[in-house]
Amino acid sequence: MTEQSTPRPMIQAPSHPGAHEGYMPGFGNDFETEALPGALPQGMNSPQKANYGLYGEQLSGTAFTDVRPERTWCYRIRPSVKHSHKYEKIALPYWQSAPNVDPDVVSLGQYRWSPVPHSDAPLTWLTGMRTMTTAGDVNTQVGMASHIYLVTASMVDDYFYSADSELLVVPQEGRLRFCTELGIIDVEPQEIAIIPRGLVYRVEVLDGPARGFVCENYGAKFEMPGRGPIGANCMANPRDFKAPVAAYEDREVPSTVTIKWCGQFHRTNIEQSPLDVVAWHGNYAPLKYDLKTYCPVGAILFDHPDPSIFTVLTAPSGQPGVANIDFVLFRERWMVAEDTFRPPWYHKNIMSELMGNIYGQYDAKPQGFVPGGMSLHNMMLPHGPDREAFEGASNVDLQPHKLDNTMSFMFETRFPQHLTGFAANEAPLQDDYIDCWTTLEKKFDGTPGKK
C-alpha cells in the first residue's frame, strides 16, 4: 500500500456528546450537527433568515408522504442550484446500468472471477469503476448493479452524485475518504459505507491502490432486516452505524460536478466547491459500518440454517419476503452443530447470488475463491460445495470448530443478474470454475440402512 497525502480542507464540526471520532451513532436516527455554533435553526426548519447568511434546503430520499419520510435539512453557503449549470453528456463506458443485456454474452451459468488487477493508468472513483453485472431497470428504479472499483488517484475539484441509486461500498484493499455534503467518511477493508442517492461527494485515496466492491441499489433504500424470532439483539446493531458530523468547504475554485441520471453521465462546470453545508439535521445521511461488529447467529444443536440468517441490510422490493437486494455477511463464527453437514448445502434459489471475498478462505470453496475475487450463481442454477469441501465436511470429526480467517459477502437480488461485456471478456474469468463439481462421485447404495 502507498500512503498518499490528501488535503483535508473541510472545516469539521467539533465533537459533541454521542459523537465518536467525528461520527454520530445510529441507523436511521434523526441527527443534528453544525460546524459553526448557532448555524442550525432550533424549533423550525425554514427561518425567514438563517444565521451566517446560509440558505436552507431540504434533501429528500423518499416521497414526502412516506410513512416515515427520510429527509435532511441542510444549511449551506449556496443553494444547490448554484452548483448546477448546463450539462453535457460524457462517456464512462465501464460503468453500466440495467437493462444491459448483451446478445453476445451468456449470463446463464455458474461463474467465478479472480481479482481484477490494478491498472498502471491513474484511475479515480469514476474512471476506475468496472460494472460486472446488472439486474432490473434503472429507469423504473428496481434492481441493482454490482461493480469492482480500482482507484489510484483522488478526485481533485471534481464531484459526483448519483440520481439513480444508493451505493453500498465494500472495500477489499486500500483506504478511501468520501468527502460528502454532510461530512467526511473514511473507510477501509472490513468496513462498509452507504452513500445515499442524490448526495454530492468526491473520493480521495488515503492508501492506494484501492480495490473493492460496490452494490448499486436502484430501488428502495437499504434498511435493517426484520429480526422476527431472533429478537432485539445480535446481527447488526443500529448503534454501530456511524454518520459524519457536519463539515464544509468555502472554496472559490473551478470545479466539475458529474451526475449519473437514468444510466447516463452528465457533467457541469461550476466556480466553487459544492460541499458547502455548514449544518444539517435529519435522517437521510451517509453511513459507515464496521463489519467486525456484526454478531452472527446460527444453529447450536443440529442442521444448517438458511444464509438469510446472516443478513446485514436489506432493500425491500414491495413483495413481502422477496428482497430487491440483501447484503449478507459470512464472517468468523463457531460451528458446533451435531450430525450436520456444516458448509452451505447444495441448492437452487429464486434469488441471484453474487459473492465477493474480502479476505481469507470461504468454507464451501477452499480453492479458487480468493480475496478480491467474485462469483455469480444466477437464479435457479444449482450450486454448492466443491468435492474437497464436501468430502471434508462429510467425514470430519464433528467437534466444536471456529471458522476463522474468513470474511465474504453476498449481494443477493430477486432479479437475474446479466453479465456485462467487461465481466465476460475482460475481467479474469475462471473458465474452469464449473469443473469444481465434475469430480463429485456417485455414492448411492440401495442397501437398506446403508449410510
Side-chain angles (χ1 to χ4, degrees), residues 20-242:
H20 175 67
E21 296 180 356
Y23 299 99
M24 301 174 288
F27 188 94
N29 279 13
D30 225 298
F31 300 104
E32 64 172 38
T33 174
E34 56 186 15
L36 292 176
L40 196 66
Q42 297 298 315
M44 65 185 306
N45 295 321
S46 188
Q48 184 179 22
K49 288 188 176 182
N51 289 342
Y52 297 101
L54 298 173
Y55 288 84
E57 178 177 295
Q58 183 174 250
L59 173 63
S60 294
T62 61
F64 298 146
T65 54
D66 202 348
V67 174
R68 186 174 184 264
E70 297 201 23
R71 84 299 173 247
T72 289
W73 272 93
C74 304
Y75 302 91
R76 57 193 317 151
I77 297 171
R78 299 172 183 83
S80 287
V81 291
K82 288 289 289 183
H83 306 315
S84 179
H85 291 300
K86 290 184 177 180
Y87 294 92
E88 60 177 358
K89 286 187 180 180
I90 64 168
L92 291 173
Y94 282 104
W95 190 334
Q96 299 186 17
S97 297
N100 176 65
V101 182
D102 188 329
D104 297 323
V105 170
V106 178
S107 295
L108 182 66
Q110 298 94 337
Y111 293 104
R112 188 166 67 191
W113 294 266
S114 299
V116 177
H118 290 285
S119 166
D120 293 332
L123 297 173
T124 68
W125 179 252
L126 297 183
T127 59
M129 198 69 69
R130 302 289 184 264
T131 306
M132 298 294 290
T133 68
T134 65
D137 188 338
V138 70
N139 296 287
T140 56
Q141 299 187 353
V142 293
M144 58 160 282
S146 65
H147 314 279
I148 291 285
Y149 68 79
L150 305 169
V151 180
T152 60
S154 297
M155 298 169 70
V156 179
D157 300 324
D158 294 319
Y159 303 87
F160 173 73
Y161 73 90
S162 174
D164 288 343
S165 52
E166 170 185 40
L167 299 184
L168 171 62
V169 182
V170 186
Q172 188 267 323
E173 182 179 59
R175 295 191 301 131
L176 296 177
R177 170 168 293 157
F178 290 82
C179 297
T180 82
E181 292 180 281
L182 302 186
I184 299 168
I185 285 183
D186 293 346
V187 289
E188 61 185 42
Q190 301 181 54
E191 296 180 333
I192 61 172
I194 303 170
I195 309 298
R197 186 193 307 255
L199 187 74
V200 179
Y201 63 94
R202 71 166 181 267
V203 181
E204 299 173 348
V205 180
L206 300 181
D207 266 342
R211 179 174 59 204
F213 311 89
V214 174
C215 180
E216 185 176 2
N217 174 20
Y218 303 146
K221 286 181 75 284
F222 280 110
E223 59 186 41
M224 301 191 72
R227 295 169 181 263
I230 294 171
N233 300 296
C234 294
M235 302 176 72
N237 292 306
R239 68 188 295 259
D240 295 321
F241 289 83
K242 311 292 185 184

Side-chain angles (χ1 to χ4, degrees), residues 270-292:
I270 61 175
E271 298 302 321
Q272 65 283 324
S273 167
L275 307 184
D276 61 359
V277 177
V278 178
W280 62 270
H281 77 86
N283 58 358
Y284 190 66
L287 296 167
K288 68 177 291 185
Y289 174 70
D290 185 345
L291 295 172
K292 297 187 297 298

